[in-house]
Amino acid sequence: MRLKQPAFAAVALILMIAAGNEAMTANFGTRRIMPLPVVTTPPVSLPDDKVRTALIAGKLDQTQQGRIAQQAHAYLVEEPLSSDALWMISTRQKAHQRPATLALAERVSRRAAYTQFALFLASSEDNDLAATMKHLDRLLTVFPDMGTEALAKLAASTASSEIRAALRPMAKRPWFGAFLLQAVENAPDGNSLFQLLDETNALAGTPS
């Protein structure tokens, strides 16, 4: 059967399109595609423990503190739930702003050592004994090695009956033995030390 001219032309066009598609596919498959450039920025990190210790001890100048705060702000963009970054930012804030930032840092994590130490110092300065003991306990339960300075400061205050009373519920905490060793060295007088040992039942079971 002989195809009419329009029909033949249509079939030829279809074959040409198919052949062209195969050729394009073959050419595309062998063509080297240049990779698109990937723009990356180095990850933001926070200062190490050496710098953090110097920061909380007040041993850095204003320029260094400002640089750390800027670094912490940048870190929060990538890691919004960073207690350490929030604490670093608080070190550059005004006094009336700092408590809210530290409270937020603690909400993010109660296991952040520098946040708890900052809260311990702030509570101590505010003469909030209950809060001071709470933050000290949280700090030393997780990071006992950070307690030397805090325990020495506390031991030097054992002449206060209020502080000794606040210590009584802590007598069974895992860090209390280390505190007693600090008290032996730093208690203001022998009478205060004896009262502390007696009131916390530390002498119970000791041979007379």
Side-chain angles (χ1 to χ4, degrees):
M1 180 178 177
R2 188 175 182 181
L3 293 174
K4 294 182 179 180
Q5 187 68 23
F8 179 79
V11 172
L13 180 60
I14 292 172
L15 292 174
M16 288 176 63
I17 292 174
N21 286 341
E22 290 180 2
M24 289 176 64
T25 302
N27 289 337
F28 185 78
T30 58
R31 185 180 300 169
R32 178 176 295 179
I33 302 174
M34 296 299 293
L36 293 175
V38 178
V39 179
T40 61
T41 56
V44 179
S45 61
L46 293 176
D48 59 23
D49 282 338
K50 182 179 180 180
V51 176
R52 298 182 193 196
T53 300
L55 177 61
I56 204 168
K59 295 181 179 180
L60 301 181
D61 59 35
Q62 294 295 315
T63 301
Q64 292 171 312
Q65 292 177 26
R67 190 179 301 118
I68 290 173
Q70 291 177 349
Q71 196 173 347
H73 276 289
Y75 188 82
L76 280 178
V77 174
E78 298 181 2
E79 299 289 342
L81 299 180
S82 172
S83 180
D84 285 343
L86 288 167
W87 159 66
M88 290 177 189
I89 290 171
S90 77
T91 63
R92 290 287 291 172
Q93 289 181 318
K94 296 180 180 179
H96 70 279
Q97 298 173 315
R98 197 172 302 124
T101 303
L102 286 175
L104 178 58
E106 187 180 33
R107 286 186 62 184
V108 171
S109 175
R110 291 184 177 181
R111 300 173 64 87
Y114 292 95
T115 295
Q116 289 298 335
F117 194 79
L119 287 166
F120 164 75
L121 293 177
S123 300
S124 178
E125 291 171 0
D126 292 340
N127 294 316
D128 187 340
L129 191 53
T132 299
M133 297 307 301
K134 177 183 70 175
H135 295 303
L136 179 67
D137 181 48
R138 289 176 179 174
L139 173 67
L140 297 184
T141 299
V142 182
F143 301 97
D145 293 341
M146 291 189 67
T148 303
E149 181 179 346
L151 291 180
K153 181 177 181 180
L154 187 62
S157 304
T158 51
S160 167
S161 59
E162 292 181 353
I163 289 180
R164 293 199 307 272
L167 282 166
R168 288 174 200 156
M170 303 293 171
K172 296 187 181 299
R173 302 300 292 162
W175 51 266
F176 195 76
F179 166 70
L180 290 179
L181 293 177
Q182 287 290 337
V184 170
E185 297 181 4
N186 296 286
D189 55 69
N191 184 54
S192 297
L193 176 60
F194 178 81
Q195 287 182 300
L196 171 67
L197 297 174
D198 182 51
E199 293 170 9
T200 57
N201 292 320
L203 295 176
T206 302
S208 57

